[in-house]
């Protein structure tokens, strides 16, 4: 058993390193290629979501979700009026509340999945379109990876008190606090060494805490989604890491928070 656990952990680490390397390399992509990358990501997320929620759905429904999701990403990329973007987020929030409090509704699930898999990833495009786009994406990636990894390590080592057992039995308060401490510390350090980011100490502290906390919340939000749908992972395309949605849940959620936090500061 210990041998199996060791191999599983080793495979998880190897895949995680490869994913991190790929993500870092994507930061240097020119705008149009980065747009294509986010469209491909959105397409993959939408396909995963619809297939997981509606396992017996037709290929027409899945392809339609993919087309609509990539279309929404393209519209947002055109830097349309922010009212449309805010409206999209409001719609997603309202549908989320309805799904959490009302009876199951397949139409609302499909709408939520499409918006969730397109509007949130599109915020990565919006971050890249801001000044110092490389710096923003680098801070985002470092914060998310540091928070997620340290929460997993601390929680696995000394975690005792469950964070939200009914949604995610393996997550603990110790892991969350460890992730928050390490993630926000590295986030502040990263902001300080990037000279192009002229944040004050207070702004850096607030942003770092906000980004690290959002990473944890984004992970919990997806865990609640999977519990509501009745699945463990959205797919097994990444082996030990599950599916695409299982890996980028915190990244796209925190990217959204980072964008609006930066807009408020600026």
């Amino acid at each position: 058993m210990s041998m199996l656990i060791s191999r599983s952990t080793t495979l998880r680490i190897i895949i995680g390193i490869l994913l991190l390397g790929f993500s870092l390399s994507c930061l240097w992509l020119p705008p149009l290629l980065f747009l294509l990358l986010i469209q491909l990501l959105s397409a993959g997320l939408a396909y995963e979501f619809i297939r997981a929620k509606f396992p017996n759905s037709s290929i027409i429904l899945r392809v339609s979700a993919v087309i609509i999701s990539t279309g929404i990403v393209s519209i947002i990329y055109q830097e349309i009026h922010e009212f449309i973007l805010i409206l999209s987020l409001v719609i997603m929030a309202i549908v989320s509340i309805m799904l959490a409090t009302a009876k199951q509704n397949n139409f609302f699930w499909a709408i939520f999945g499409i918006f969730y898999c397109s509007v949130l990833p599109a915020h990565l495009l919006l971050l890249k379109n801001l000044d110092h786009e490389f710096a923003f994406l680098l801070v985002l990636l470092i914060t998310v990876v540091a928070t997620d990894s340290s929460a997993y390590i601390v929680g696995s080592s000394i975690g005792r008190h469950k964070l939200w057992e009914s949604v995610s039995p393996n997550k603990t308060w110790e892991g969350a606090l460890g992730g928050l401490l390490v993630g926000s510390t590295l986030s502040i350090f990263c902001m300080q060494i990037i000279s192009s980011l002229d944040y004050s100490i207070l702004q850096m502290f607030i942003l770092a805490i906000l980004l690290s906390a959002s990473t944890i919340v984004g992970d919990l939000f997806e865990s609640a989604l999977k519990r509501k749908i009745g699945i463990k992972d959205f797919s097994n395309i990444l082996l030990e890491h599950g599916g695409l949605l299982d890996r980028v849940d915190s990244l796209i959620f925190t990217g959204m928070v980072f964008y609006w936090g930066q807009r408020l500061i600026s």
Side-chain angles (χ1 to χ4, degrees), residues 209-227:
I209 295 295
L210 186 63
L211 295 181
S212 188
S214 297
T215 300
I216 298 171
V217 173
D219 194 20
L220 280 174
F221 181 75
E222 177 149 317
S223 294
L225 274 180
K226 290 188 286 188
R227 181 57 62 97

Side-chain angles (χ1 to χ4, degrees), residues 30-240:
L32 288 180
L33 286 181
F34 194 74
L35 167 63
L36 178 60
L37 174 70
I38 300 302
Q39 285 181 315
L40 290 174
L41 174 63
S42 177
L45 298 182
Y47 187 88
E48 264 192 357
F49 188 97
I50 296 299
R51 189 181 67 171
K53 175 55 188 171
F54 310 109
N56 298 320
S57 61
S58 66
I59 190 66
I60 295 177
L61 176 61
R62 300 179 188 183
V63 172
S64 297
V66 167
I67 293 174
I68 296 173
S69 294
T70 54
I72 292 174
V73 171
S74 298
I75 292 173
I76 293 176
Y77 178 73
Q78 299 303 317
E79 297 186 51
I80 55 176
H81 197 282
E82 280 189 351
F83 171 76
I84 303 298
L85 180 59
I86 295 173
L87 180 62
S88 299
L89 291 171
V90 170
I91 291 174
M92 193 180 74
I94 292 174
V95 175
S96 299
I97 295 172
M98 293 177 66
L99 291 174
T101 58
K103 294 182 179 180
Q104 297 289 318
N105 186 299
N106 289 340
F107 175 76
F108 287 138
W109 269 113
I111 293 298
F112 171 80
I114 290 172
F115 274 77
Y116 179 65
C117 297
S118 58
V119 178
L120 263 61
H123 280 80
L124 300 178
L125 284 172
L126 298 178
L127 274 175
K128 191 171 178 62
N129 286 343
L130 295 174
D131 293 336
H132 318 306
E133 71 278 359
F134 175 83
F136 290 135
L137 292 174
L138 183 61
V139 169
L140 173 66
L141 187 60
I142 287 176
T143 305
V144 170
V145 171
T147 302
D148 187 57
S149 300
S150 53
Y152 175 78
I153 294 172
V154 173
S156 301
S157 303
I158 61 173
R160 295 293 182 273
H161 303 87
K162 301 300 181 181
L163 182 60
W164 194 357
E165 189 170 10
S166 62
V167 167
S168 186
N170 295 326
K171 291 182 175 61
T172 63
W173 279 102
E174 291 84 354
L177 292 175
L180 186 65
L181 177 62
V182 175
S184 57
T185 300
L186 286 179
S187 183
I188 292 174
F189 177 75
C190 187
M191 292 180 200
Q192 284 184 321
I193 64 175
I194 298 177
S195 57
S196 59
L197 296 179
D198 53 350
Y199 294 134
S200 67
I201 296 297
L202 179 60
Q203 288 174 335
M204 282 192 293
F205 179 80
I206 293 175
L207 266 180
I209 295 295
L210 186 63
L211 295 181
S212 188
S214 297
T215 300
I216 298 171
V217 173
D219 194 20
L220 280 174
F221 181 75
E222 177 149 317
S223 294
L225 274 180
K226 290 188 286 188
R227 181 57 62 97
K228 191 78 173 178
I229 295 174
I231 57 175
K232 180 180 181 294
D233 293 316
F234 277 99
S235 76
N236 60 354
I237 190 173
L238 298 176
L239 303 178
E240 300 296 319

